[in-house]
Amino acid sequence: AKPIQIAIDGPAAAGKSTIAKIVAEKLGYIYIDTGAMYRAITLKAINQGIDLSSNEEAGALLLETAIDLQPSTNGQLVFLDRKNVTEEIRTQVVTQAVSQMSAHGLVRERMVELQQQLAEGRGVVMDGRDIGTHVLPNAPLKIFMSASVEERAARRFKENKTRGIETPLHELQAEIAKRDKMDSERDVAPLKKAEDAIFLDTTTLTIQEAASEILKLAEERL
Ligand code: C5P
């Protein structure tokens, strides 16, 4: 069968990347975590003391930056100017700044271009906020994945624990809610369900159940 593009969008910590990885592996497709790309440029901006509120400065920074994604056994490695930043982009400092950085039109323009190049002509599962609406508007399968904010915070709490991070649950919930609000209310390519996306509420689904549901929908389109 001819490979297809699968777009998965949704709010923070809805399980997108975990499920997208499983789906990509099962289909033999590449997986692209676009949030990791926004996190990488945010990390660089913080390290260089760039004004995060400036569209021009943020856009100029991205023009002189190399962001590379490399598949690995458990997902994807992220390189910023050839340096492996896979772990560093998940810190609270980056998480709290990324929505401001990704709201800039110049940043998004360049990122969307990069993401479209990565996906061109291949079987791909791409997750983010604007994949179905802007990056891959012709994808034959678009999923909008969500879960209650309580459930999402609880999942992130568990995941953090296995990585030795101990942010209290109520703080995680507040951070997630704030990021969702900023991502949904920004002017450029806000988080939004594409009209032709299928809504998948994962609040009461296991990871395997959600992945199976998407695989079933994918097979109908192959
Ligand atoms: O997916 P993740 O939570 O790692 O994304 C981090 C942030 O990157 C989001 O909160 C959002 O501000 C931004 N993002 C975006 N568009 C995408 C993917 C992520 O604006 N396609």
Side-chain angles (χ1 to χ4, degrees), residues 34-35 38-39 98-99 102 108 128-130 179 183 186:
T34 63
Y38 287 97
R39 285 172 179 273
V98 64
S99 289
S102 63
R108 303 205 68 83
R129 303 293 188 286
D130 62 338
R179 203 143 57 90
D183 291 342
R186 69 180 173 222

Side-chain angles (χ1 to χ4, degrees), residues 9-13 16-17 33-39 42 89-90 95 98-103 108 115 127-131 135 156 175 179-180 182-183 186 188-189 191:
D9 290 299
K16 298 186 299 293
S17 65
D33 173 359
T34 63
M37 301 171 78
Y38 287 97
R39 285 172 179 273
T42 304
I89 58 169
R90 304 288 158 194
T95 301
V98 64
S99 289
Q100 185 179 17
M101 191 70 177
S102 63
R108 303 205 68 83
Q115 290 156 4
D127 81 30
R129 303 293 188 286
D130 62 338
I131 311 306
V135 183
R156 183 51 53 90
E175 177 261 301
R179 203 143 57 90
D180 289 348
M182 286 179 74
D183 291 342
R186 69 180 173 222
V188 191
L191 167 65

Side-chain angles (χ1 to χ4, degrees), residues 42-75:
T42 304
L43 174 64
K44 181 164 175 175
I46 293 169
N47 287 345
Q48 298 209 347
I50 297 286
D51 179 3
L52 290 182
S53 70
S54 162
N55 182 39
E56 283 71 28
E57 283 195 36
L61 183 70
L62 189 50
L63 281 177
E64 50 182 59
T65 300
I67 297 172
D68 297 292
L69 306 177
Q70 219 179 76
S72 86
T73 39
N74 42 5

Side-chain angles (χ1 to χ4, degrees), residues 3-197:
I4 62 168
Q5 297 179 328
I6 301 177
I8 304 182
D9 290 299
K16 298 186 299 293
S17 65
T18 308
I19 292 160
K21 271 180 228 167
I22 296 174
V23 171
E25 168 134 354
K26 279 262 158 65
L27 293 169
Y29 290 3
I30 57 164
Y31 161 61
I32 299 172
D33 173 359
T34 63
M37 301 171 78
Y38 287 97
R39 285 172 179 273
I41 191 62
T42 304
L43 174 64
K44 181 164 175 175
I46 293 169
N47 287 345
Q48 298 209 347
I50 297 286
D51 179 3
L52 290 182
S53 70
S54 162
N55 182 39
E56 283 71 28
E57 283 195 36
L61 183 70
L62 189 50
L63 281 177
E64 50 182 59
T65 300
I67 297 172
D68 297 292
L69 306 177
Q70 219 179 76
S72 86
T73 39
N74 42 5
Q76 178 194 261
L77 297 175
V78 186
F79 293 85
L80 173 65
D81 298 324
R82 317 277 163 242
K83 184 178 165 240
N84 185 345
V85 293
T86 311
E87 296 293 321
E88 219 180 330
I89 58 169
R90 304 288 158 194
T91 57
Q92 277 300 104
V93 184
V94 172
T95 301
Q96 281 166 9
V98 64
S99 289
Q100 185 179 17
M101 191 70 177
S102 63
H104 297 305
L106 288 175
V107 172
R108 303 205 68 83
E109 215 174 277
R110 177 98 188 97
M111 281 298 190
V112 169
E113 231 171 71
L114 271 172
Q115 290 156 4
Q116 288 173 340
Q117 280 168 15
L118 290 172
E120 198 173 332
R122 336 169 60 168
V124 62
V125 184
M126 191 179 274
D127 81 30
R129 303 293 188 286
D130 62 338
I131 311 306
T133 52
H134 287 87
V135 183
L136 305 175
N138 300 319
L141 178 56
K142 299 179 184 177
I143 304 289
F144 192 87
M145 190 183 290
S146 195
S148 70
V149 68
E150 291 80 11
E151 176 64 21
R152 289 186 281 128
R155 287 178 190 168
R156 183 51 53 90
F157 185 75
K158 258 200 197 159
E159 183 191 324
N160 278 354
K161 223 168 173 185
T162 68
R163 294 164 51 216
I165 303 171
E166 300 200 2
T167 315
L169 185 61
H170 70 271
E171 263 178 46
L172 282 178
Q173 192 169 319
E175 177 261 301
I176 287 172
K178 180 169 178 218
R179 203 143 57 90
D180 289 348
K181 185 169 155 59
M182 286 179 74
D183 291 342
S184 310
E185 293 179 355
R186 69 180 173 222
D187 293 330
V188 191
L191 167 65
K192 196 178 134 208
K193 180 186 163 302
E195 268 180 37
D196 54 349

